[in-house]
């Protein structure tokens, strides 16, 4: 007896060939047709002539595959996915290259074909499995015509609860670890970018993991680090999958595990941009890495996506899906106190400060994508502040844990804008400060936060001028005299 996990996994493994005009959707469409036949009480096996008559117009409409020959390919090739069988297939003569029977042979013999018996019985017995499978296939391969195709296949009753409502897991589902997720929904229990058994891509973010994934400051979009633990990341493996989803504007699942928490399917997301920046690999060496900008959406259905997300996707297409290069904005990161050859910490600080100032200059556009660019390109400013701090909280009255380290061996410091960006704060080192979690909380929510912010702004400027030397004095003379924070 087929299990739902096994069946969904075989369906999830469907990988249509990619041609110049896009994916060949013959097999997914035939599978949906067969599923619809099962849930609507039709015979499991039907003759080639009946299948051809039903499927050929669907292939022309929904798979851009017109002509009498269109049904031959999926009728034969779906067998290779262990989902479909053709009765007497060993007796059918094949084309000269041995790839499939000819149309004339199929018309003459008119063989019976259909889903495997155990799969057909599963779909008849478990409508929820049928709905989940149909929804995943529609979402993966027919996102722009889901409603019309479901209607033409007579799947409307099965999917009355909504295509997104039939999918599993549901948003908000928690699991202790990746192994627990894989036990229920299949997929790879290790990779950070990998599909579940239904073939829909998932990305995983663990606050204790090796990647520097963060929410973009001031918004709910996510800067998600690409695939590859050490060395320069390549556009392969998980990054290639992300690139495909980005180009096709397909939704994927975002899982998150906070410190001390569990993995939760937090939200559906779409990829609105890809950037390349400097980062640090698991071996603590600087490397080039990709960062994928993920925009949360209420559901995998495009009709529910916010206008600002649709606008960002349109802008991404207008930019020819380019990888935005931020490598020239800052310097490859180094460990605290590492002079990296002849460059001292102060020299490095000056270069990082100059890079941060160039990034901040002239940025008045408040669009979502500009905020993303500001955030990702402010790496130089963050590096400069951490370098300046020497790994210690920069609040002179700190009573917390000024020298604690994270699990990764980094300073347990949060680089913060003394005044929020939304309130006119500057995105340069003299307006930013490194705080331990305790001082950060006091600065954000403490009863004396206003006085502390003023003291920290004075402190940040003093530390900046001291660390930058003569360059700091030049910047001081260029500061505005309006009394507004930088």
């Amino acid at each position: 007896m087929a299990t739902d996990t096994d069946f969904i996994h075989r369906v999830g493994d469907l990988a249509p060939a990619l041609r110049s005009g896009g994916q060949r959707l013959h097999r997914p469409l035939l599978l949906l047709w067969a599923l619809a036949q099962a849930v609507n009480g039709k015979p499991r096996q039907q003759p080639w002539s009946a299948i051809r008559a039903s499927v050929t117009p669907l292939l022309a409409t929904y798979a851009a595959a017109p002509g009498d020959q269109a049904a031959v390919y999926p009728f034969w090739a779906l067998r290779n996915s262990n989902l479909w069988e053709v009765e007497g297939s060993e007796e059918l003569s094949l084309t000269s290259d041995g790839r499939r029977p000819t149309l004339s042979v199929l018309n003459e013999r008119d063989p019976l074909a259909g889903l495997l018996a155990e799969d057909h019985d599963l779909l008849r017995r478990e409508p929820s499995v049928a709905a989940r499978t149909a929804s995943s296939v529609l979402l993966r391969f027919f996102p722009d015509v889901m409603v019309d195709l479901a209607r033409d296949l007579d799947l409307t009753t099965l999917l009355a609860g909504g295509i997104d409502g039939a999918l599993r897991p549901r948003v908000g589902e928690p699991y202790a670890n990746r192994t627990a997720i894989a036990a229920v929904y299949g997929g790879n229990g290790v990779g950070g970018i990998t599909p579940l058994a239904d073939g829909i891509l998932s990305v995983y973010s663990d606050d204790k993991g090796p990647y520097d994934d963060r929410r973009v400051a001031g918004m709910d979009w996510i800067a998600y680090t690409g695939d590859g633990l050490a060395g320069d990341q390549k556009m392969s493996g998980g990054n290639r999958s992300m690139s495909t989803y980005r180009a096709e504007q397909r939704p994927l699942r975002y899982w998150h595990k906070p410190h001390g928490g569990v993995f939760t399917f937090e939200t559906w997301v779409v990829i609105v941009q890809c950037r390349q920046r400097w980062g640090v690999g698991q071996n603590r060496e600087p490397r080039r890495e990709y960062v994928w900008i993920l925009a949360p959406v209420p559901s995998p259905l495009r009709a529910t996506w916010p206008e600002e997300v649709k606008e960002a996707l349109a802008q991404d297409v207008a930019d020819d899906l380019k990888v935005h290069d931020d490598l020239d904005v800052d310097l490859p990161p180094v460990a605290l106190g590492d002079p990296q050859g002849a460059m001292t910490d102060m020299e490095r600080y000056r270069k990082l400060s100059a890079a941060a100032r160039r990034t901040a200059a002239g940025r008045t556009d408040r669009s979502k994508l500009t905020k993303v660019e500001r955030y990702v390109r402010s790496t130089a400013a963050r590096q400069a502040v951490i370098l300046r701090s020497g790994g210690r909280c920069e609040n002179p009255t700190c009573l917390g844990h000024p020298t604690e380290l994270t699990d990764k061996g980094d300073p347990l410091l949060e680089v913060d804008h003394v005044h929020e960006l939304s309130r006119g704060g500057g995105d340069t080192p003299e307006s930013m400060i490194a705080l331990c979690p305790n001082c950060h909380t006091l600065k954000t929510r403490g009863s004396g936060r206003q006085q502390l912010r003023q003291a920290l702004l004075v402190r940040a400027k003093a530390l900046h001028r001291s660390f930058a030397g003569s360059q700091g004095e030049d910047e001081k003379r260029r500061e505005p005299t309006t009394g507004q924070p930088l």
Side-chain angles (χ1 to χ4, degrees):
M1 179 181 294
T3 65
D4 55 349
T5 300
D6 172 64
F7 175 67
I8 290 170
H9 193 282
R10 281 181 280 129
V11 173
D13 282 342
L14 271 179
L18 186 63
R19 298 290 186 265
S20 57
Q23 284 185 309
R24 298 188 66 180
L25 301 178
H26 304 59
R27 287 181 296 148
L29 197 146
L30 178 59
L31 175 64
L32 278 174
W33 176 85
L35 182 150
Q37 296 293 298
V39 299
N40 288 309
K42 302 295 177 63
R44 177 179 74 87
Q45 290 188 315
Q46 298 185 40
W48 154 254
S49 55
I51 295 172
R52 183 192 62 193
S54 294
V55 174
T56 296
L58 294 171
L59 287 168
T61 302
Y62 296 106
D68 294 338
Q69 292 275 357
V72 175
Y73 170 71
F75 181 85
W76 190 252
L78 193 59
R79 297 160 55 253
N80 299 329
S81 302
N82 195 26
L83 292 162
W84 181 260
E85 61 183 6
V86 177
E87 191 173 273
S89 58
E90 66 281 355
E91 299 173 2
L92 298 176
S93 57
L94 306 181
T95 56
S96 58
D97 58 9
R99 298 177 66 182
R100 63 184 69 92
T102 63
L103 176 61
S104 59
V105 166
L106 290 175
N107 289 340
E108 177 186 345
R109 301 293 295 271
D110 204 19
L112 294 172
L115 294 173
L116 303 186
E118 57 184 11
D119 294 340
H120 183 270
D121 293 344
L122 172 67
L123 294 173
R124 292 289 301 275
R125 187 175 66 249
E126 301 285 351
S128 63
V129 175
R132 179 181 168 192
T133 305
S135 295
S136 66
V137 175
L138 286 166
L139 181 62
R140 288 175 63 199
F141 303 114
F142 306 97
D144 297 327
V145 293
M146 287 190 288
V147 174
D148 292 341
L149 180 54
R151 180 200 62 221
D152 288 352
L153 288 171
D154 198 13
L155 288 171
T156 304
T157 300
L158 178 70
L159 301 175
I163 290 173
D164 56 330
L167 292 169
R168 296 293 184 275
R170 293 185 181 274
V171 172
E173 285 191 28
Y175 290 88
N177 49 48
R178 294 285 305 280
T179 302
I181 298 171
V184 177
Y185 293 114
N188 184 325
V190 179
I193 303 173
T194 184
L196 296 182
D198 62 8
I200 299 173
L201 198 64
S202 280
V203 294
Y204 299 85
S205 181
D206 184 347
D207 285 356
K208 289 185 65 176
Y211 296 106
D212 187 24
D213 304 327
R214 297 172 181 264
R215 294 277 180 173
V216 177
M219 54 195 298
D220 63 350
W221 290 9
I222 303 157
Y224 184 84
T225 308
D227 187 22
L229 288 171
D232 291 344
Q233 292 184 348
K234 308 296 183 183
M235 193 58 74
S236 59
N239 291 324
R240 183 186 294 116
S241 298
M242 295 289 274
S243 181
T244 299
Y245 267 64
R246 177 196 184 193
E248 298 175 0
Q249 298 187 351
R250 292 165 58 182
L252 56 149
R253 297 179 174 107
Y254 175 75
W255 297 76
H256 178 229
K257 181 181 180 183
H259 284 290
V262 299
F263 271 110
T264 301
F265 173 24
E266 193 169 285
T267 181
W268 288 96
V269 296
V270 290
I271 303 168
V272 297
Q273 202 177 76
C274 178
R275 311 187 73 89
Q276 192 173 39
R277 67 182 179 190
W278 288 109
V280 178
Q282 193 176 45
N283 58 3
R284 310 302 297 166
E285 294 292 328
R287 50 84 174 270
R288 296 169 178 83
E289 62 188 21
Y290 292 105
V291 56
W292 302 93
I293 306 303
L294 312 179
V297 290
S299 84
L301 305 182
R302 180 180 285 269
T304 68
W305 298 354
E307 284 303 315
E308 62 187 10
V309 173
K310 294 179 182 178
E311 291 170 3
L313 290 169
Q315 183 60 55
D316 198 30
V317 172
D319 290 338
D320 294 325
L321 301 176
K322 72 177 180 181
V323 177
H324 298 260
D325 187 357
D326 298 316
L327 297 173
D328 62 338
V329 174
D330 54 16
L331 304 173
V334 295
L336 290 172
D338 182 351
Q340 191 143 92
M343 189 182 295
T344 66
D345 282 353
M346 283 192 174
E347 290 169 337
R348 185 173 184 80
Y349 181 84
R350 291 169 185 162
K351 288 182 178 292
L352 289 169
S353 296
R357 188 168 291 278
R358 289 195 301 272
T359 298
R363 298 195 180 280
T364 57
D365 187 349
R366 307 303 294 177
S367 72
K368 288 274 188 175
L369 286 177
T370 298
K371 290 181 182 179
V372 166
E373 182 172 303
R374 181 192 295 272
Y375 171 80
V376 177
R377 291 170 67 95
S378 67
T379 306
R382 295 178 57 83
Q383 287 185 50
V385 175
I386 289 292
L387 184 65
R388 182 185 72 198
S389 74
R392 297 182 62 88
C393 177
E394 291 187 321
N395 179 8
T397 61
C398 175
L399 297 176
H401 301 279
T403 60
E404 286 292 325
L405 301 177
T406 68
D407 291 339
K408 302 175 187 178
D410 298 323
L412 187 60
L413 296 174
E414 299 164 1
V415 177
D416 193 34
H417 297 86
V418 180
H419 289 285
E420 308 302 332
L421 284 172
S422 60
R423 298 183 178 181
D427 206 18
T428 50
E430 65 270 28
S431 300
M432 301 166 70
I433 197 155
L435 300 174
C436 70
N438 184 64
C439 290
H440 190 205
T441 301
L442 291 175
K443 180 256 181 189
T444 304
R445 301 199 302 271
S447 60
R449 59 186 178 276
Q450 295 300 336
Q451 298 91 329
L452 179 58
R453 286 174 182 170
Q454 291 303 318
L456 291 177
L457 183 59
V458 172
R459 175 70 170 170
K461 290 183 176 181
L463 289 170
H464 173 71
R465 287 193 292 269
S466 173
F467 211 81
S470 59
Q471 182 183 12
E473 292 300 319
D474 293 340
E475 292 171 358
K476 180 181 179 182
R477 286 190 288 270
R478 292 196 297 269
E479 288 176 6
T481 58
T482 60
Q484 296 297 317
L486 290 175

